[in-house]
Amino acid sequence: MSNDNLPVKPEDEHGVVEVAEPIPDPGLEPHEPRITDIDPKAADRAERQVSGMFGLATLLVLGSCVAYFAIPRDSILEFGPLSGNANNMVIGLCIGLALFLIGAGAIQWAKKLMVDEEISEERHAAHSSPQQIAEITEAFKEGAEESGFGRRKMIRNSLIGALGILGLPAIILLRDLGPLPGRALYNTIWAKGIRVVNDVTDRPIKPSDLVVGQLVNAAPANLAPLQEENASEYQNAKAKAAVIVVRIKPSEIRTKPGRENWGIDGILCYSKICTHVGCPISLYEQTTHHVLCPCHQSTFDLADSAKVVFGPAARPLPQLPLAVDSEGYLVAQSGFHEPVGPSFFERG
Amino acid sequence: MSTNTEFPGPVKWVDDRLGIAKIGKKNLRKVFPDHWSFMLGEIALYSFIILILTGTFLTFWFKPSMAEVEYQGSYSLLKGLHMSEAYASTLDITFDVRGGLLMRQIHHWAAVLFIAAMMVHLLRMFFTGAFRKPRELNWLIGFGMLFLGIIEGFLGYGLPDDLLSGTGLRITNGMIQASPVVGTYMNFFIFGGEFPGDDFVARFFIVHVLLIPGIILALVTAHLFLVVYHKHTQYAGPGRTQKNVVGYPLFPVYTAKAGGFFFVVFGITALMGALMQINPVWLYGPYNPAEVTAGAQPDWYMGWLEGSVRIFPGFESHFWGITLSWNLIIPALIVPPAFVTLVALYPFIEGWITGDKREHHLLDRPRDVPTRTGIGVAFITFYAMLWIGGGNDLIATHFNLSLNHVTWFLRFAVILGPILGFWIARRWAISLQRADQERLLHGLETGVIMRSPEGKYTEKHQPISTYEAYSITARDRLVPHEIGPETDENGVRAPRRALHKARAALSRFYYADAVQKPTTQEIEEAHEHAHDADEIHELTEDTETYREVTSDRS
């Protein structure tokens, strides 16, 4: 880009912004003495204030030490509807006030007693002088010449290559941070014949346990045993397998073709994991059959294959096909037919 | 008074090894200008120090491990529950370590304050034009710290492994997963496999306590070094020029003031930690991937990202066996980085438009650069609309509004709001400039109404002091970028004509309607007029005051 047309020509690049026109700089305003400059009594008063603050701070710091040992750690302080841990509160109050007083004292000292006449210091442009530039350029050239870096291109290029390739192990060594995704996101621990259990009581659910309008948070029966085996896998499995079971009046349900036998008398089961970013959805409104994700307010219509009716989610909640086993409990006909939770690139 | 040419013993020992007199000579009485708005950066610096102090305390007891334990501490409501060691040790710090809750709360409040102070400091830089040459680099360093500070805060928020922080991480996990091609791989590498896994607390911990604070510390050092090296900017005023800095010396005044201010900031955060509850993790319970609390909110600085994904409509494309989640790619992966980059590069954009390559050490008053001020307000409005979006559910429930209406309103407001904000702020700045001009040329209205022998009513005006007049005019003349002739003297077309034209147009827009300060002649004319008539402002039939004064005659 050429600089020819700039309002400030290149030679003015180091020019100074001229502001002292049309009114010339009258110079610093005359210093107004403070009351503490004129009246020694006022100055003494200020001194007492400052040392008073410092003295009080000392007492408060000591107070915090006493509070640490004297106040039982579980005692509660109450102020009307507010309450808090007494030990923490008193220590905090003492230290906080002490720190504040030390600071306020120092500032008061500076403002009232220290000389308050403003002084001026020269400022210089950041750039180097032509002479300095010439000197450093000369020095650099000399060094570059002595190394032969520019002349011996083979050294230069091979060094650049060697240093560049060093980045590779730095990345490769991080490979074992985690396994590759593989098919992990496509599967949950739901499978054919796994019972649907209440996620608090772990009890299997019978269709007759649910009344119309009811929604139950549920999990697969094979989840709970995992907790004893491997706590981390239990959490991972739970993060994908959580479901909601809802009973809706069959006449209000609009079934998607191919899902006619996925429900039992209006009992439908959906993944609880929001298809937006994976929060467990939880707020159900009986009259509209809408369920709302509390994180980003995506709203799904459970009577209509959990399609999105509002919010940032783009896909319906995956549905789990239900059946009843020989003992009359709800079971899964199969696992989910699609990955649960938020979208990902290779999902299709 | 005799002057010592030798240091006392211990100081001499140090000087013999470090030559402190040479280093200290210039800096001991270094001048810093005085203004309240220069304290904002100090607040950020001090809260960072408080964060290091309180954070170190917390690491003595915090166990960055996701191994499952049964809680046996003194908080009876969670006794016997299975939870991660991270959460259990956070409960121990809260209930069993004396002063632990206090330190946790100071730490959290200081973190909130740290980022708030950096942001307000950044706004001060923006609106006063402090980012101009030679300080562009320090602007970028500051931006780097703000960015790292936000990540640092978010990681810290995730460490206690409570229900709220786990939910926050899961949302992050979902956003990362939406990245084209690499999403799932990034997630599996960050979390060591599927979410939540058992790795992230330990990993986030080391990044939170060592890596990021280390980088921030290095950046703070560079930032402060440059402040000292460039010397502080100052507001224009009598005796304050481009070539000097007027204020109080570092020793003693600023040692006392700035040092004292550190204690004030620490004291206030300690009082907040003592009296104001923040992040009561014991109420949320341990993380459970099947549960969530309604009305959950992240820390304030994450709110705009949260709002961005909340208000974006649900679009997704499926083709060629792949999924593109526009509902996350745009609001989470494109818009925030693009916005941040735009603001970070603003000094260079403005420099290009105005063509100003000179050093600036005098700060602009926001009104004196109306377009920049308007742009700044547009940035703020954009951010604010997204931030409000982060609490759309709370706004709906608190004000009895429909959540859908709030969201739809914000979908439009995030685009129209900044335009409106720009326009209002720009006009406002121009009006303030005009008021200044009025004050400068015609003086102050005294409220004294005079009647001449002929019965004419006039109001006496008093000229403002030279000092004030100088402060108002001590600014640059705003000259739009001039585009040269189409062809040079040989008839050759200037290269990159279109780019030059666009630049000139932007420059004209940038300076359009801004009030130029008067010339010497204009000031003289205004004053002569005042002198001749012994009044400046003539009251006419239209004047409100005139009618009031004459009402009793009718």
Side-chain angles (χ1 to χ4, degrees), chain B residues 296-539:
Chain B
Q297 285 289 304
D299 268 351
W300 77 269
Y301 47 84
M302 299 304 289
W304 72 295
L305 298 169
E306 172 84 356
S308 181
V309 293
R310 279 188 187 197
I311 67 173
F312 202 83
F315 291 127
E316 220 172 62
S317 303
H318 308 265
F319 54 89
W320 303 332
I322 59 167
T323 298
L324 288 176
S325 312
W326 301 114
N327 53 350
L328 290 168
I329 293 175
I330 295 175
L333 305 176
I334 294 181
V335 169
F339 176 67
V340 170
T341 311
L342 177 68
V343 182
L345 293 182
Y346 184 80
F348 304 96
I349 299 170
E350 187 189 289
W352 183 74
I353 292 175
T354 59
D356 189 349
K357 299 225 177 332
R358 299 163 303 171
E359 281 195 14
H360 289 272
H361 301 291
L362 287 181
L363 296 168
D364 287 326
R365 286 197 307 166
R367 69 183 63 174
D368 284 334
V369 195
T371 306
R372 181 201 292 147
T373 304
I375 293 172
V377 170
F379 286 158
I380 294 175
T381 315
F382 178 75
Y383 183 94
M385 289 303 126
L386 293 183
W387 194 65
I388 291 172
N392 61 351
D393 52 339
L394 296 181
I395 288 170
T397 51
H398 279 72
F399 297 102
N400 270 328
L401 298 166
S402 145
L403 176 74
N404 303 22
H405 291 165
V406 174
T407 306
W408 269 109
F409 170 78
L410 288 169
R411 283 173 181 174
F412 285 100
V414 78
I415 295 164
L416 299 178
I419 299 172
L420 191 67
F422 169 81
W423 186 79
I424 292 175
R426 189 160 174 267
R427 295 320 304 186
W428 196 327
I430 291 169
S431 300
L432 286 170
Q433 275 192 309
R434 288 186 181 153
D436 273 355
Q437 195 88 337
E438 183 71 21
R439 210 174 152 82
L440 182 68
L441 294 177
H442 303 299
L444 295 168
E445 291 177 12
T446 56
V448 178
I449 306 294
M450 313 259 289
R451 204 177 105 171
S452 70
E454 304 89 62
K456 197 168 90 172
Y457 286 90
T458 53
E459 185 182 2
K460 232 181 156 49
H461 277 57
Q462 200 179 5
I464 53 173
S465 76
T466 326
Y467 295 115
E468 195 191 338
Y470 178 74
S471 301
I472 292 178
T473 55
R475 60 188 170 101
D476 209 6
R477 281 188 192 281
L478 308 174
V479 190
H481 169 53
E482 287 281 331
I483 181 163
E486 181 95 26
T487 53
D488 67 9
E489 59 269 28
N490 301 323
V492 180
R493 279 174 61 83
R496 298 203 218 172
R497 188 72 187 164
L499 192 62
H500 277 298
K501 273 190 177 158
R503 186 176 177 186
L506 279 172
S507 179
R508 274 196 306 278
F509 165 75
Y510 201 82
Y511 289 138
D513 300 337
V515 179
Q516 290 289 3
K517 60 180 175 181
T519 59
T520 320
Q521 203 189 353
E522 281 166 346
I523 291 186
E524 271 168 12
E525 270 171 20
H527 287 185
E528 255 166 45
H529 170 67
H531 187 74
D532 287 350
D534 199 21
E535 102 321 288
I536 297 176
H537 192 71
E538 198 170 295
L539 299 178

Side-chain angles (χ1 to χ4, degrees), chain A residues 148-165:
Chain A
F149 191 74
R151 228 172 340 110
R152 301 190 188 280
K153 293 218 162 53
M154 208 154 71
I155 291 189
R156 188 191 68 185
N157 295 346
S158 53
L159 177 63
I160 291 173
L163 290 178
I165 206 83

Side-chain angles (χ1 to χ4, degrees), chain A residues 60-74:
Chain A
L60 282 163
V61 172
L62 290 174
S64 76
C65 299
V66 173
Y68 185 92
F69 294 105
I71 302 175
R73 68 186 73 184
D74 54 357

